[in-house]
Amino acid sequence: HTMVRVTMIARLGDGLPLCEGTDVEKSNDLDVCKRQAKTLIRKLGNTNRPEPKLSYESGPFLVHYMIEGSVVYVVVCDRKYPKKLAFKYLDEIRQEFENLYRGQVDTVVRPYAFIKFDTFIQKTRKLYMDTRAQRNMMKLSEELSEVQQIMTRNIQEVLGQGEKLDHVSRLTSTLAQESSVYSKKAKKLSRQALIKKYTPLAVIVFILILVMLWRFW
């Protein structure tokens, strides 16, 4: 079933991660999407007047974010998860986070300073898991015209060249590693071939030396 996968809370100005709640399931697509979401957060901090709410497509997922004050709230959901529910979820996370840490966000210096908030994230995430649950059906039936107006873009549009260069860099690194492994294997095979080729000759020479020593001793 469709679900909320990753929740991130970060400081808008410098992208400092404040808290993160992650799905236990792992996948390459989800890892890529998480990296893209973190890059997006950093780019939002460098953008003049970023959109307060926006959604981005990323492979099989949608990345939704909401900016409130100096904090950006991000959720990664399965593509089929209703946008209306995703922003309801983010708003619930935002309200509780503001109630607890409103005056502390600008003063923290270490990442994940509010990691204890993950307990609330996981509890709320469970409530939003089943889109057919009565409370979620009621939320879906509410008229939220502003959510319908929130644009959905492809995440590559905002990540652009930087993300592509990162991707090329990762590919280059992988190819270099594979080339190194191949080179080592080739050298090993070459040594093995030489040993196999010359071992019989070495044995014969050794035997001849022994015979000569025995005869002329």
Side-chain angles (χ1 to χ4, degrees):
H1 56 278
T2 58
M3 61 196 330
V4 172
R5 297 287 183 178
V6 182
T7 309
M8 299 177 185
I9 304 174
R11 191 161 59 196
L12 181 61
D14 56 4
L16 183 77
L18 304 175
C19 186
E20 183 174 320
T22 307
D23 184 15
V24 292
E25 291 183 26
K26 302 287 184 183
S27 73
N28 289 334
D29 284 338
L30 187 58
D31 287 342
V32 168
C33 189
K34 282 175 65 177
R35 286 198 301 269
Q36 290 176 332
K38 289 175 181 177
T39 303
L40 172 63
I41 289 169
R42 290 194 297 271
K43 281 189 173 287
L44 287 173
N46 296 324
T47 304
N48 290 327
R49 296 183 182 179
E51 293 283 343
K53 295 178 182 178
L54 211 58
S55 299
Y56 285 99
E57 297 173 339
S58 174
F61 305 107
L62 279 173
V63 180
H64 309 283
Y65 79 76
M66 170 190 296
I67 296 172
E68 191 67 38
S70 60
V71 181
V72 55
Y73 303 86
V74 178
V75 64
V76 177
C77 303
D78 291 332
R79 187 180 276 265
K80 291 183 180 179
Y81 193 84
K83 182 191 283 190
K84 190 183 288 188
L85 265 189
F87 278 99
K88 275 281 190 182
Y89 168 80
L90 277 182
D91 198 49
E92 208 163 315
I93 295 294
R94 176 195 63 78
Q95 287 180 38
E96 184 64 14
F97 189 82
E98 284 187 353
N99 288 338
L100 294 172
Y101 308 114
R102 185 192 301 270
Q104 303 175 44
V105 170
D106 293 333
T107 58
V108 295
V109 293
R110 60 185 178 86
Y112 303 106
F114 309 116
I115 195 64
K116 289 182 180 178
F117 189 70
D118 181 49
T119 304
F120 180 81
I121 289 176
Q122 296 303 334
K123 184 176 71 173
T124 309
R125 181 174 166 270
K126 286 178 183 176
L127 294 175
Y128 280 82
M129 283 290 240
D130 187 359
T131 55
R132 293 166 297 181
Q134 186 176 357
R135 73 183 297 278
N136 292 334
M137 293 293 284
M138 288 174 64
K139 288 179 183 296
L140 281 170
S141 65
E142 292 174 8
E143 183 59 38
L144 287 175
S145 56
E146 61 168 316
V147 171
Q148 293 169 359
Q149 293 169 8
I150 295 172
M151 293 179 65
T152 300
R153 298 174 180 167
N154 190 294
I155 201 161
Q156 291 297 338
E157 290 178 20
V158 69
L159 300 185
Q161 196 64 29
E163 179 70 11
K164 290 173 185 175
L165 287 172
D166 287 345
H167 180 63
V168 170
S169 177
R170 285 195 297 271
L171 280 177
T172 304
S173 176
T174 302
L175 286 171
Q177 289 173 2
E178 289 178 355
S179 175
S180 176
V181 170
Y182 176 80
S183 177
K184 287 177 182 177
K185 285 183 177 179
K187 287 178 181 177
K188 187 177 179 182
L189 287 171
S190 178
R191 284 197 300 270
Q192 289 175 347
L194 286 171
I195 291 169
K196 191 173 181 181
K197 180 177 179 180
Y198 292 109
T199 295
L201 182 60
V203 169
I204 292 169
V205 170
F206 182 69
I207 292 172
L208 285 172
I209 291 171
L210 283 178
V211 169
M212 290 175 70
L213 286 171
W214 180 74
R215 287 186 62 183
F216 295 105
W217 191 253

